[in-house]
Amino acid sequence: MATESYEDHQDTARTEAAGELQRLLGGILRHLDGPTAERLLLAIRVELDARDARAYAAGWQDAMEAAGSDRAG
């Protein structure tokens, strides 16, 4: 009997959540006029880009701190 790993479960949960979000967003967009839907999508894209930038910067900060502690020790 194969057991599902934690990572597999996380991947499945993310895929399901992404599908739910896509369905929800699709339903909302169908009820908005063109320009309003475009503004909503732009706002979502700006937020996602900002989150990506913060995560990237945090990753570099962690790497620099790890490199500094390797040199000190």
Side-chain angles (χ1 to χ4, degrees):
M1 176 171 112
T3 58
E4 185 178 15
S5 71
Y6 176 77
E7 290 82 13
D8 291 339
H9 177 71
Q10 290 297 98
D11 289 343
T12 300
R14 284 187 189 106
T15 300
E16 290 172 357
E20 284 296 315
L21 181 58
Q22 186 176 6
R23 283 189 287 280
L24 177 62
L25 187 55
I28 292 169
L29 293 175
R30 279 192 289 279
H31 291 91
L32 299 175
D33 61 15
T36 303
E38 288 179 27
R39 286 193 303 272
L40 176 59
L41 289 174
L42 178 60
I44 292 169
R45 171 54 43 203
V46 167
E47 177 60 25
L48 291 174
D49 288 346
R51 288 177 184 215
D52 284 346
R54 287 190 302 268
Y56 182 77
W60 271 106
Q61 183 178 4
D62 291 345
M64 296 304 291
E65 287 173 2
S69 65
D70 289 345
R71 286 189 204 124

